Amino acid sequence: MSTPLTLSGLYTYPIKSARGVALDRARVELFGLGLDRRWMVVDGGGRQVTGRDFPRMDLVGVGLEPGGLRVTAPGMPPLPVPHGPGGPGRLVHIFRQPVQAVEVGGEANAWWSAYLGLPAALVYFPDEAERHMNPRFGTARISFADGNPLHLVSEASVADLNTRLPHPVTPERFRPNLVVRGGAAYGEDGWGRIRIGDLEFGVVEPCARCSVLNISEGRMGGEPLRTLAGYRRRGRLVEFGQNLVHAEQGELKLGDPIVVLRRGSR
């Protein structure tokens, strides 16, 4: 008899490539989980700055406070960031795609420039900005996420991966929004539509993993991507976890039951 599926982890990542925030409950909103990837660091040319090129971003912590964020990093003073920046509009680029953002400005730019050692700015994704997920899978709007509103991994799949690794990793290493407990390893590969609590989600495509997965404590290594490539490669992509799109807005909380409504055909 299969183990019932439940929601065991909820994470939002307010600043792209910085550390996430573990939550007991969260709102699924217009762009996905509340505050998820609403801020991003850009270089002097307005291009995205992520952990792929600057692994030290993994050491940047983000705390949620009334009215904003509290950002911390080794050797740096705490940085307060307001929820609704009122700075000037600025055209930025994420994966070469132009997006109209709002610059946080002032102290934030100086803080990030000092931490990364290059001219940098912190920008915010406003509600009116237009960016959409891959039209092959839907029309949902997204913020500064790589390509989909939500990302899910399974504890069972991580446990199976750990049997192959020299050093185990936790589900948090994959930067998921949602973590599933129960079921078989890689069972999520066959899902097409699920319900978590009262909300429904489409399971639209596997997550293609990149070098960010190999960052630990601010350093780039070779695992677990090397091991994953040995048994989870599909063509040129290494896949682990699933990307989701929400059908409605509402609240999720830890312990919510998960029901597979439809199997996928991928």
Side-chain angles (χ1 to χ4, degrees), residues 34-64:
L35 299 182
D36 194 54
R37 277 88 171 189
R38 294 299 295 268
W39 288 266
M40 181 175 73
V41 181
V42 296
D43 63 16
R47 296 175 294 268
Q48 67 187 34
V49 173
T50 72
R52 294 172 178 86
D53 298 310
F54 294 89
R56 292 184 68 227
M57 292 188 72
D58 179 62
L59 300 177
V60 177
V62 180
L64 304 183

Side-chain angles (χ1 to χ4, degrees), residues 228-245:
L228 277 174
Y231 76 105
R232 293 288 296 179
R233 183 179 293 278
R234 182 182 178 189
R236 298 177 61 184
L237 304 178
V238 178
E239 299 176 343
F240 190 94
Q242 295 293 323
N243 289 309
L244 276 60
V245 60

Side-chain angles (χ1 to χ4, degrees), residues 27-148:
R27 289 280 304 175
V28 177
E29 300 177 346
L30 178 62
F31 301 117
L33 221 58
L35 299 182
D36 194 54
R37 277 88 171 189
R38 294 299 295 268
W39 288 266
M40 181 175 73
V41 181
V42 296
D43 63 16
R47 296 175 294 268
Q48 67 187 34
V49 173
T50 72
R52 294 172 178 86
D53 298 310
F54 294 89
R56 292 184 68 227
M57 292 188 72
D58 179 62
L59 300 177
V60 177
V62 180
L64 304 183
E65 295 187 340
L69 312 176
R70 184 177 187 271
V71 183
T72 58
M76 300 294 294
L79 172 70
V81 175
H83 270 173
R90 178 175 180 180
L91 188 68
V92 300
H93 289 81
I94 175 170
F95 301 114
R96 300 183 179 178
Q97 179 184 18
V99 178
Q100 191 63 43
V102 176
E103 191 167 315
V104 175
E107 184 183 357
N109 291 0
W111 193 97
W112 280 101
S113 297
Y115 182 66
L116 296 175
L118 78 161
L122 185 65
V123 298
Y124 177 75
F125 194 97
D127 290 348
E128 62 272 17
E130 288 285 341
R131 185 169 177 255
H132 294 265
M133 64 184 291
N134 190 326
R136 290 172 52 203
F137 305 114
T139 59
R141 293 169 64 193
I142 57 175
S143 55
F144 289 128
D146 278 4
N148 293 277

